[in-house]
Amino acid sequence: FAFRHALTREAIYATLLLRERQGLHRSVGDAMERLYVTSINPHLADLSYHYYTSGMWDKALEYSRKAGDQARTLYAQREAIVYYSRALDSAHQLKIAIEPELFGARGHAYEILGDFKAALDDFEQGLQISQQVQDGHAEWQILIDLGFLWAGRDYQQTGKYFRRAEELSRKLNEPKLQAHSLNRLGNWSVNIGQTSDGLK
């Protein structure tokens, strides 16, 4: 159906029972999956919307995360936050463990938009989860992310997080992560005037 005015559509939509709306959204999502199986990427946002609204949490999680990643690639941070929030809610509805990277991704979008508190909350939640599930790589990445987040607020905090990341890289015995951590620490040391430490 096509409507001359959006309010007409909304009025008719509102007369449907929740169960009816959910069923229709699921039907639309399923039809789109079949129709666009070979070219799904342009339709990720719509699939996220229809499956999330229908309460199909497994597919809502899948498509919302992909739509969030796509939006970030296109520098559409506000849209990315919407999709990542749907993905996080879907994981909560499914009662499954949330991957720390999902909080990290939304945290980056908040950071770019200048919402320090929201970004900090997401990074800290991601850090907590990574520590709980003992995912060292995710923990290291979020420590680096937190260091960069604090750079514009409290540069001493930046150094603390970079040091923690470097210590973790040693425990993980990951030379690449250690090299990256040392480079960050070196830059930080030079920037605060500790040139000799930075050179080391």
Side-chain angles (χ1 to χ4, degrees):
F1 293 92
F3 299 96
R4 289 179 180 271
H5 198 286
L7 290 178
T8 308
R9 175 189 177 277
E10 291 302 316
I12 295 172
Y13 184 77
T15 64
L16 296 169
L17 296 173
L18 175 61
R19 187 173 54 199
E20 291 177 306
R21 290 201 301 268
Q22 287 179 325
L24 289 169
H25 281 293
R26 179 177 180 176
S27 296
V28 172
D30 291 344
M32 291 183 71
E33 270 194 326
R34 290 192 303 272
L35 283 170
Y36 304 117
V37 65
T38 59
S39 57
I40 205 77
N41 283 348
H43 308 284
L44 292 174
D46 289 332
L47 286 163
S48 163
Y49 168 70
H50 287 297
Y51 281 126
Y52 182 77
T53 308
S54 72
M56 290 288 293
W57 304 119
D58 54 343
K59 292 197 174 185
L61 173 58
E62 175 190 353
Y63 287 117
S64 295
R65 180 166 193 163
K66 289 179 179 177
D69 292 342
Q70 185 182 68
R72 278 188 65 202
T73 302
L74 297 171
Y75 304 99
Q77 307 303 331
R78 295 187 192 282
E79 287 77 9
I81 289 168
V82 170
Y83 302 134
Y84 287 137
S85 296
R86 285 180 189 166
L88 287 164
D89 186 42
S90 299
H92 177 72
Q93 295 289 344
L94 290 166
K95 295 180 171 59
I96 61 174
I98 297 174
E99 296 179 17
E101 291 86 356
L102 198 49
F103 276 112
R106 192 175 69 173
H108 278 294
Y110 277 126
E111 181 182 8
I112 291 170
L113 291 175
D115 192 336
F116 175 83
K117 186 181 183 305
L120 182 62
D121 287 344
D122 273 359
F123 285 141
E124 287 182 340
Q125 286 189 75
L127 182 62
Q128 184 178 6
I129 292 171
S130 66
Q131 291 169 339
Q132 287 172 351
V133 300
Q134 298 182 335
D135 185 340
H137 287 83
E139 181 182 355
W140 177 87
Q141 183 59 62
I142 292 177
L143 287 170
I144 293 292
D145 292 339
L146 280 163
F148 280 117
L149 178 66
W150 277 103
R153 296 261 177 156
D154 183 342
Y155 209 49
Q156 292 304 314
Q157 289 282 358
T158 295
K160 289 178 183 177
Y161 282 113
F162 285 172
R163 282 196 190 94
R164 285 175 61 184
E166 196 275 331
E167 290 169 5
L168 180 59
S169 69
R170 289 181 187 275
K171 290 179 184 176
L172 294 172
N173 195 25
E174 291 275 0
K176 286 184 179 180
L177 297 186
Q178 191 176 347
H180 189 89
S181 302
L182 288 168
N183 182 52
R184 293 300 170 201
L185 266 178
N187 288 331
W188 177 80
S189 297
V190 170
N191 288 339
I192 63 170
Q194 298 176 358
T195 308
S196 59
D197 289 341
L199 284 169
K200 289 178 187 178

